[in-house]
């Protein structure tokens, strides 16, 4: 049986980290009980903030516009949250195929890659359908679409590599292109997150 030359990169564009609103950190010299209460209170405040943010977003929709901060909140906590779940599910299927027994791995990878290629097409379409107004979010959206497109091309080369090992170098070059696109997207997202009071949580 021929060796299976597939190097699927499990490198999420949107999954793998989440954004959370920056909250007050309790003092380190407080007692354990006080710290526990503070943490609980902060969670409650965070929920209140999310509720207020959602209400503000709803009100802004009724008025036909949102502030940049409200639009970012809607984009991250609504649209991007849904898409990141979709991407995660696609990646889980790829990961499961890679763990198949050797005798079943080749066909499992072919099926999983073909499914993932279709999945990233859907992700691109869903991202394209998101409506954003601010220049920064338009830019971020386009960077995400570009990242999905490049990763889809990378998956296609993975699929072709199974039957044609000569695709190896082309696939590796596409991997590097994706890493650059991913880095650009994530750097831009981090800048916006910092501007609007969010932090990354791994």
């Amino acid at each position: 049986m021929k060796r299976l030359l597939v190097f699927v990169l499990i490198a999420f564009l949107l999954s793998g980290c989440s954004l959370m609103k920056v909250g007050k950190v309790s003092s380190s010299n407080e007692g354990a009980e006080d710290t526990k209460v503070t943490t609980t209170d902060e969670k409650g405040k965070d929920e209140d903030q999310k509720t207020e943010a959602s209400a503000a977003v709803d009100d802004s929709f009724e008025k036909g516009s949102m502030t940049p901060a409200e639009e970012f909140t809607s984009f991250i906590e609504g649209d991007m949250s849904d898409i990141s779940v979709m991407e995660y599910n696609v990646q889980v299927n790829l990961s499961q195929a890679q763990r198949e027994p050797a005798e079943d791995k080749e066909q499992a990878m072919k099926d999983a890659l073909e499914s993932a290629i279709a999945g990233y097409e859907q992700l691109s379409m869903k991202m394209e359908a998101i409506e954003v107004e601010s220049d920064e979010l338009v830019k971020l959206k386009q960077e995400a679409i570009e990242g999905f497109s490049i990763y889809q091309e990378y998956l296609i080369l993975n699929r072709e590599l199974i039957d044609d090992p000569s695709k190896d170098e082309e696939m590796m070059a596409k991997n590097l292109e994706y890493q650059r696109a991913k880095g650009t997207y994530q750097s831009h997202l981090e800048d916006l997150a910092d501007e609007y009071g969010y932090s990354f949580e791994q």
Side-chain angles (χ1 to χ4, degrees):
M1 181 177 178
K2 64 183 177 181
R3 187 162 63 96
L4 184 60
L5 297 173
V6 178
F7 304 91
V8 177
L9 176 68
I10 306 299
F12 305 159
L13 182 69
L14 305 181
S15 306
C17 65
S18 61
L19 285 169
M20 61 181 293
K21 201 72 173 173
V22 176
K24 183 177 71 176
V25 179
S26 59
S27 173
S28 59
N29 61 3
E30 291 177 351
E33 184 175 343
D34 291 340
T35 302
K36 184 176 181 181
V37 171
T38 301
T39 303
T40 303
D41 288 346
E42 287 303 324
K43 285 181 180 178
K45 289 177 183 177
D46 190 51
E47 289 301 320
D48 290 341
Q49 288 173 350
K50 287 183 179 180
T51 301
E52 290 171 4
S54 297
V57 169
D58 290 340
D59 290 342
S60 297
F61 271 126
E62 291 176 4
K63 296 174 183 176
S65 64
M66 287 189 284
T67 66
E70 289 169 345
E71 188 177 20
F72 184 78
T73 296
S74 175
F75 185 72
I76 293 299
E77 295 183 4
D79 301 317
M80 297 297 276
S81 178
D82 294 341
I83 291 177
S84 67
V85 170
M86 288 176 61
E87 185 185 24
Y88 175 78
N89 289 335
V90 170
Q91 291 287 347
V92 166
N93 289 336
L94 284 172
S95 180
Q96 289 174 341
Q98 288 179 305
R99 294 195 297 269
E100 288 290 328
E103 61 272 18
D104 301 325
K105 188 180 291 292
E106 182 171 313
Q107 188 57 50
M109 284 305 306
K110 285 181 179 180
D111 294 343
L113 285 165
E114 287 168 3
S115 176
I117 290 164
Y120 272 85
E121 181 69 26
Q122 292 177 347
L123 283 165
S124 294
M125 291 172 63
K126 190 170 180 64
M127 180 67 74
E128 189 71 55
I130 295 174
E131 296 183 5
V132 290
E133 294 184 4
S134 73
D135 292 341
E136 289 295 340
L137 285 184
V138 168
K139 181 180 177 182
L140 190 68
K141 170 184 167 179
Q142 287 306 124
E143 288 168 351
I145 292 171
E146 181 179 0
F148 285 150
S149 177
I150 294 170
Y151 193 79
Q152 184 185 34
E153 291 170 5
Y154 171 70
L155 291 174
I156 291 170
L157 288 168
N158 264 271
R159 173 62 184 85
E160 293 175 351
L161 184 69
I162 295 175
D163 299 317
D164 182 3
S166 70
K167 295 286 184 179
D168 186 30
E169 289 188 11
E170 188 178 354
M171 187 197 70
M172 292 302 184
K174 185 61 66 174
N175 175 23
L176 293 176
E177 183 182 356
Y178 171 73
Q179 291 299 325
R180 288 192 293 269
K182 180 184 177 185
T184 298
Y185 166 82
Q186 291 188 338
S187 177
H188 188 191
L189 177 60
E190 288 175 15
D191 288 343
L192 288 177
D194 183 62
E195 180 178 351
Y196 295 121
Y198 282 77
S199 65
F200 279 91
E201 183 181 59
Q202 296 297 329

